[in-house]
Amino acid sequence: MTGDFVTSPEPILRVSNLTKTYSKRSWFSPGGPPKAALNGISFNLSERETLAFVGPSGAGKSTLVRCIAGRERPDSGDIWFAGEDRRAIQLIPQDPGTSLNPRLTALQVVSEPGAGRRVPELLSMVGLPVESSGAKVTAFSGGQRSRLALARALACDPRILILDESLASLDLPVQAQMVNLLLDLQDRLGLAYILIAHDLGIAGHFADRIAVIDEGRIVEEGPPVELFQRPQHPRTRSLIACAPGGIPC
Amino acid sequence: MRAGGDSVLIRYLARRALHAVLLLFGVSALSFALVDLAPGDYFTDARLNPRISSETVAGLRGEYGLDRPLPVRYLRWLRSAMAGDLGVSLAYNLPASALLAPRAGNTLLLASSALALAWLAGVPLGWWAATRKWPGRILSFAASAALTIPELLMAVMASIVAVRTGWFPAGGHLALPALVLAAGSMPVVIRHTRAAVLEVVDSPFLVAARAHGISEGRLVFRYVLPAAANPLISLAGLSLGTLLSASLLVEVILGWPGLGPLLLEAVYARDVPVIVGSIVISAVFLMLGSLVADVALYACDPRIRVEA
């Protein structure tokens, strides 16, 4: 169940044996041994697929997505992407609102990546009123800022959207609306999602596959129903036992 | 929406003006009380002079109102100050405002020249320090070390250099005191600019903007500089205040005809109207600096507009 796995359609992202180690040494302390954040992670992702990574804090989930989004360089391993422009992999961070410049208007935020005339279309695509394009980012609520961050990501014509616990800061009804919106966009634009989540409930509702990650390794992977009903690894069992809102099966 | 924004600004300015008036009351009352606490008054020396009778001294004290209790003297001064009259200088027998106005203009000229010099050099240096790892750390450390040198010592050193080398006019010229004051406040500007830029460089919205492929030039002018501006604008307002207080001593040492030498003479002579007038004018400068900074912040930062 661990390591490399292949899905039936042609993958658009192939990650092989990714490793990343952080040193704890500093000028003032020799520190302990280096910590392996990623320890040989491999997976494939296909078009229109949603792959969720779940695991405890410090398991390596955020390091993994930062490496995929090009924000961090892995120590070794390969990331192959079926596209030339890395902007087609877009990351929406944990608190999407903080990723927006508070001095800009919605129009400026969405048009910055070069969307230009497409701004009204992108705003309505994410369910924001076109008339709000002149309002400053600070005038939007938390949920609306998430939609704005999504519109800006869509302005880059992405093929893969990475949601790094991007839904965690939203309250439940807004979370549900965002999940529906993301599923709708996936349907219309053929997007693939990589979802990072603490909450198995969201991952179960949203993802086609769930990969449990622990100490920088994928310890178990499979479709949500299979994973929830027949967990093999102790880490998976403990995550299911600790799921705050229960699991969707 | 615009009208709403304007009314918020007017309310904000009205609140600030009220605070300023209250503060000026406090500053002037405290100055009066502290000068009164010091032993003696302007006529103490005259009392020691055997050729001046004690009746004459008492008459003079009465003429200038110094025989009245402190609250009465303060209220009389306050009433005339509100009409623009800061009283009569005991030492010069001239209206204090006529003495103070040109001196205050000189001090303001010196402080604003030093402010401009410090910021024109400090901001680019701070930016440079933020964008280079080791040279930046070394410059930041050097700036911290420079902070420990008091302006007084710098002024003495500058005076010696000016006399020995002849590069600068040694007294009464703007260049030397402005350079000394600028050198004294520049380390703070460098360190704050570096810190502000470093904070923005790591902010999530800049990381996200970079990931969206926005060009570096656009990132600098649309993201980094406006976001780093807030702490720097506040600092600029405070800088004017610290420059004004530092300038008093520097003016005395380097012979610049500002408020400093006049205040020093007034303190020696217990010339209360000039002392209180100098302090109140300095407080007004400080408040104006802070107000300009606040209005600039209000104009630059949409979050402050919402909070205001």
Side-chain angles (χ1 to χ4, degrees), chain B residues 224-307:
Chain B
V224 180
L225 284 181
N230 282 12
L232 297 180
I233 291 170
S234 306
L235 178 68
L238 286 175
S239 290
L240 188 64
T242 48
L243 276 173
L244 280 169
S245 55
S247 72
L248 297 181
L249 280 174
V250 172
E251 283 172 0
V252 172
I253 294 166
L254 295 172
W256 178 250
L259 282 174
L262 184 67
L263 180 61
L264 192 67
E265 282 171 28
V267 169
Y268 280 141
R270 304 274 193 279
D271 193 351
V272 179
V274 175
I275 296 174
V276 178
S278 304
I279 293 171
V280 167
I281 288 174
S282 299
V284 169
F285 285 163
L286 182 59
M287 280 184 278
L288 282 178
S290 166
L291 183 67
V292 169
D294 282 353
V295 172
L297 264 184
Y298 182 91
C300 288
D301 193 340
R303 288 167 300 181
I304 289 170
R305 252 171 277 172
V306 172
E307 283 158 20

Side-chain angles (χ1 to χ4, degrees), chain A residues 89-160:
Chain A
I89 302 177
Q90 280 296 316
L91 187 148
I92 300 183
Q94 236 167 53
D95 184 357
T98 61
S99 73
L100 307 171
N101 188 343
R103 283 164 187 78
L104 303 185
T105 62
L107 174 77
Q108 289 168 325
V109 164
V110 181
S111 62
E112 277 284 61
R117 290 183 195 157
R118 290 171 54 216
V119 173
E121 177 203 337
L122 289 166
L123 287 179
S124 51
M125 204 182 265
V126 298
L128 285 174
V130 177
E131 309 81 65
S132 67
S133 64
K136 292 262 188 205
V137 166
T138 43
F140 289 87
S141 68
Q144 287 173 323
R145 285 183 206 182
S146 297
R147 287 170 189 263
L148 206 50
L150 183 58
R152 181 178 59 180
L154 294 176
C156 297
D157 293 321
R159 296 185 69 190
I160 299 172

Side-chain angles (χ1 to χ4, degrees), chain B:
Chain B
M1 195 146 174
R2 188 68 238 160
D6 286 347
S7 74
V8 169
L9 178 62
I10 289 165
R11 272 206 309 276
Y12 176 70
L13 289 177
R15 205 165 57 227
R16 288 301 307 259
L18 181 70
H19 288 173
V21 169
L22 292 175
L23 201 64
L24 283 179
F25 274 127
V27 166
S28 57
L30 208 60
S31 316
F32 247 90
L34 288 174
V35 174
D36 197 63
L37 276 176
D41 60 30
Y42 179 72
F43 296 103
T44 303
D45 286 347
R47 233 182 259 130
L48 299 174
N49 190 337
R51 284 184 292 181
I52 304 173
S53 69
S54 56
E55 288 77 21
T56 310
V57 172
L60 285 168
R61 290 189 81 239
E63 192 181 321
Y64 285 99
L66 295 180
D67 56 344
R68 304 287 181 86
L70 176 69
V72 176
R73 275 184 284 140
Y74 175 64
L75 288 175
R76 279 179 63 179
W77 177 86
L78 193 61
R79 203 169 45 234
S80 61
M82 278 158 62
D85 175 10
L86 294 173
V88 175
S89 161
L90 304 172
Y92 291 89
N93 202 23
L94 282 170
S97 45
L99 277 173
L100 288 166
R103 298 300 193 105
N106 286 344
T107 292
L108 196 59
L109 173 68
L110 174 61
S112 42
S113 308
L115 191 73
L117 274 176
W119 282 77
L120 284 175
V123 170
L125 281 172
W127 174 277
W128 184 83
T131 49
R132 279 154 188 83
K133 195 175 177 188
W134 281 106
R137 285 182 182 176
I138 291 167
L139 181 64
S140 179
F141 179 76
S144 301
L147 273 175
T148 60
I149 306 172
E151 275 95 352
L152 191 69
L153 187 61
M154 275 195 223
V156 172
M157 282 160 46
S159 182
I160 293 169
V161 170
V163 169
R164 293 251 168 108
T165 61
W167 291 345
F168 299 98
H173 196 275
L174 178 67
L176 204 57
L179 279 175
V180 167
L181 284 174
S185 60
M186 203 192 301
V188 181
V189 180
I190 293 173
R191 285 183 56 82
H192 274 77
T193 306
R194 178 173 180 265
V197 172
L198 282 178
E199 198 177 312
V200 178
V201 164
D202 289 335
S203 66
F205 70 79
L206 196 72
V207 173
R210 198 167 270 135
H212 288 106
I214 297 164
S215 69
E216 281 297 314
R218 201 172 173 81
L219 284 179
V220 168
F221 287 102
R222 197 154 193 181
Y223 286 74
V224 180
L225 284 181
N230 282 12
L232 297 180
I233 291 170
S234 306
L235 178 68
L238 286 175
S239 290
L240 188 64
T242 48
L243 276 173
L244 280 169
S245 55
S247 72
L248 297 181
L249 280 174
V250 172
E251 283 172 0
V252 172
I253 294 166
L254 295 172
W256 178 250
L259 282 174
L262 184 67
L263 180 61
L264 192 67
E265 282 171 28
V267 169
Y268 280 141
R270 304 274 193 279
D271 193 351
V272 179
V274 175
I275 296 174
V276 178
S278 304
I279 293 171
V280 167
I281 288 174
S282 299
V284 169
F285 285 163
L286 182 59
M287 280 184 278
L288 282 178
S290 166
L291 183 67
V292 169
D294 282 353
V295 172
L297 264 184
Y298 182 91
C300 288
D301 193 340
R303 288 167 300 181
I304 289 170
R305 252 171 277 172
V306 172
E307 283 158 20

